Amino acid sequence: MRPGWDEYFLQIAVAVSQRADCTRRQVGAVIVKDNRIVSTGYNGAPAGDPGCLSGVCPRGRLSYEEVAPMSSYDTGAGACISVHAELNAIIYGDYAKIRDATMYITCDPCNGCARVIRGAGIARIVTPCVA
């Protein structure tokens, strides 16, 4: 059966997530306007920098037991070098096309990303949890 638009773009976000450079979590984001892809992003080190898969991420070197649940990704022993998928999609997108668009993400955005998404003028967020 042919998928609806939301399901279709969520499936593309899953495919994008497979490029993530993280040993802990793979996240993909797709920004869409008028049923056309404007930009995509996945979580990973800034472009050109060595990433988690090469062993340079402090958080990636820790076991799951060593990282406190809900601990900060930005500070402390569990600091992460990754740029989130949502931010990469916004960074590499065209502002005029992003405004009033829909973002499809493989999981719910963190609070920081949710603020940036709103600030970028993205009108709607779709995740597998909230459609």
Side-chain angles (χ1 to χ4, degrees):
M1 175 166 220
R2 186 177 188 195
W5 288 114
D6 285 349
E7 182 182 352
Y8 173 72
F9 289 119
L10 280 173
Q11 289 173 359
I12 293 173
V14 169
V16 169
S17 76
Q18 294 172 10
R19 287 285 308 156
D21 181 20
C22 182
T23 58
R24 293 178 165 272
R25 192 169 192 195
Q26 291 72 44
V27 179
V30 179
I31 300 174
V32 175
K33 190 166 187 177
D34 300 324
N35 293 329
R36 298 288 179 251
I37 296 173
V38 173
S39 185
T40 65
Y42 52 86
N43 57 315
D49 288 0
C52 191
L53 296 178
S54 64
V56 300
C57 181
R59 192 175 191 94
R61 289 192 305 256
L62 298 174
S63 71
Y64 285 96
E65 294 78 26
E66 293 175 293
V67 178
M70 303 305 289
S71 65
S72 174
Y73 275 80
D74 299 319
T75 60
C80 177
I81 62 169
S82 183
V83 177
H84 289 194
E86 302 92 325
L87 300 182
N88 273 322
I90 291 169
I91 289 167
Y92 291 104
D94 177 343
Y95 176 73
K97 292 179 181 176
I98 288 173
R99 189 137 189 87
D100 298 320
T102 298
M103 181 178 276
Y104 295 86
I105 316 166
T106 56
C107 61
D108 291 335
C110 69
N111 290 336
C113 285
R115 283 192 304 273
V116 173
I117 291 166
R118 283 193 306 275
I122 292 172
R124 182 171 171 246
I125 297 170
V126 178
T127 70
C129 302
V130 180

